[in-house]
Amino acid sequence: MPELENAPPYPLGPEAEPLRPHDTLFHFTFHHPHHATSWLLTVLPFALANAVDWTTLVPADERLLGQRLQHHLADLVFAATATATATARPLLLLLEHKSHQDPGLQAQLLRYAVLLRHDYQAQHDVMPLLLAVVLHHGTPTRPTAETDGAFAEFQPELAAVIDDLTAGEVAVDGRSGLTALAELTLRCLATLPRASPAEVLASFDRWQHLLRAVDRTEAPPHAPPLGPHAIDKIGWYALAVTEIPAEQLSEALSRILQRPENTIMSTLERTYQKGLAVGKAEGKAEGKAEGLLRLLARRFGALDAATFTRVRTANNEELDRWTDRILDAPTLAAVFAD
């Protein structure tokens, strides 16, 4: 595929804006083709998986993505060759991560699909195929009610392959072919955001073989991220989205990995110094937002996209104030009244 072989991994979003904890872990692991391939092969239907030459999978060229797509943080775009066609054709894979229900997802995917295909054709003089894959974890919420009425069947849609982890760790059980880091990442995303400190420790004990495999992956031909660097990111994520004390996590990792606790603890402390507090605050706000959305849906019925957006962009103070009003507010508007 022309001019893509040496392209670096590229998230859709300005480099200066920090990623949230879930997005950070997703991107850390799956922007590497080796780990992305191992995950995708457990998600795609057999016919689709066999229709791609996975040896050609590379991150999309930065020039392909352009300024029009650089506002969103979690998306990853890869290019590959589709082989189950009359002639081999270029294929773009759009990977999206969601830690919550998003009523705007369909519109977002449609926009990206149109822009990506248009820009690729402009640069390479061929219209690529496109496949969207969405990784979803978190607590399911009731879907927004259909409001298009008689026009519903005529609205544009983009079919996407969904990897639904909302059932928790059981959704990862039985998958074969995952790299150790890919499996560990999926299990963390599916389990840790709702875990107590005791459950975090129990989970890490269950995942001992994965943690050791990741920790001891230190050199080629293994794929990056390698060894302790990957363990540091897993530890950062656990600290960012749960209430487990750093000391307890350090002791558990030292026991499991059989390396000195002081080296692990110093890394965790540095992680805090470099912004864990921000990541933890964002993770807590995200959890509060999801809880408030569930309460609002139970009290007032299906929510519109504007309400989802308002809640998910609110700060901790606003979320606490609105949550306190749930029981007494007679209407949805009263919850948000200034």
Side-chain angles (χ1 to χ4, degrees):
M1 193 160 297
E3 302 183 12
L4 292 178
E5 288 79 0
N6 297 316
Y10 194 77
L12 302 183
E15 292 295 330
E17 186 173 349
L19 295 172
R20 292 186 176 184
H22 309 305
D23 294 338
T24 300
L25 182 60
F26 173 79
H27 185 268
F28 175 81
T29 297
F30 294 118
H31 82 273
H32 294 276
H34 181 65
H35 300 295
T37 297
S38 81
W39 166 51
L40 290 169
L41 287 174
T42 72
V43 177
L44 298 182
F46 181 80
L48 279 177
N50 277 355
V52 179
D53 180 353
W54 294 102
T55 65
T56 65
L57 188 75
V58 292
D61 192 335
E62 291 188 28
R63 291 169 298 172
L64 169 64
L65 301 177
Q67 291 299 317
R68 292 180 297 176
L69 290 172
Q70 291 187 21
H71 75 282
H72 190 72
L73 292 172
D75 288 338
L76 294 168
V77 181
F78 289 90
T81 299
T83 55
T85 54
T87 58
R89 288 185 62 184
L91 170 70
L92 298 177
L93 292 104
L94 172 61
L95 310 185
E96 166 68 17
H97 159 259
K98 291 291 182 184
S99 58
H100 54 263
Q101 292 285 66
D102 185 354
L105 175 61
Q106 182 59 224
Q108 174 187 313
L109 292 177
L110 275 170
R111 175 175 177 268
Y112 289 169
V114 170
L115 292 176
L116 284 168
R117 296 186 78 204
H118 174 273
D119 288 355
Y120 189 97
Q121 183 182 39
Q123 291 182 35
H124 303 293
D125 198 28
V126 59
M127 179 63 74
L129 300 169
L130 185 135
L131 178 62
V133 182
V134 178
L135 175 68
H136 178 226
H137 68 98
T139 304
T141 58
R142 291 193 298 178
T144 303
E146 179 59 70
T147 58
D148 293 324
F151 295 95
E153 64 178 298
F154 301 102
Q155 301 314 296
E157 290 187 0
L158 177 68
V161 176
I162 307 295
D163 189 6
D164 188 353
L165 302 184
T166 56
E169 197 173 355
V170 66
V172 187
D173 293 343
R175 301 194 190 192
S176 60
L178 287 167
T179 65
L181 181 58
E183 181 174 349
L184 187 58
T185 296
L186 292 176
R187 291 187 182 277
C188 285
L189 291 171
T191 305
L192 295 188
R194 297 174 298 282
S196 67
E199 290 168 336
V200 173
L201 295 176
S203 295
F204 274 45
D205 278 336
R206 286 197 310 277
W207 305 336
Q208 287 189 37
H209 65 294
L210 295 173
L211 288 162
R212 288 173 184 150
V214 169
D215 190 51
R216 293 167 187 173
T217 302
E218 295 179 345
H222 301 293
L226 300 176
H229 178 52
I231 292 295
D232 292 346
K233 188 63 68 175
I234 295 296
W236 174 88
Y237 180 73
L239 290 171
V241 301
T242 76
E243 296 296 335
I244 188 168
E247 295 81 3
Q248 287 187 23
L249 183 59
S250 174
E251 290 171 3
L253 288 174
S254 178
R255 170 175 52 81
I256 292 169
L257 301 178
Q258 299 174 351
R259 56 184 170 96
E261 180 187 337
N262 61 340
T263 62
I264 298 172
M265 189 62 200
S266 63
T267 298
L268 294 178
E269 288 174 342
R270 284 198 304 273
T271 302
Y272 263 100
Q273 296 294 330
K274 292 180 180 179
L276 178 60
V278 173
K280 184 177 282 289
E282 289 175 340
K284 286 180 178 177
E286 192 171 334
K288 284 184 180 181
E290 292 308 306
L292 177 57
L293 287 169
R294 289 196 299 275
L295 292 173
L296 290 172
R298 290 191 65 178
R299 179 76 193 279
F300 301 108
L303 307 175
D304 59 22
T307 300
F308 274 85
T309 300
R310 184 171 187 181
V311 171
R312 290 202 177 108
T313 56
N315 57 40
N316 271 303
E317 215 172 88
E318 291 171 320
L319 292 170
D320 288 339
R321 182 168 67 252
W322 297 337
T323 301
D324 289 342
R325 294 175 179 171
I326 284 283
L327 293 178
D328 300 323
T331 64
L332 182 63
V335 173
F336 299 106
D338 293 329

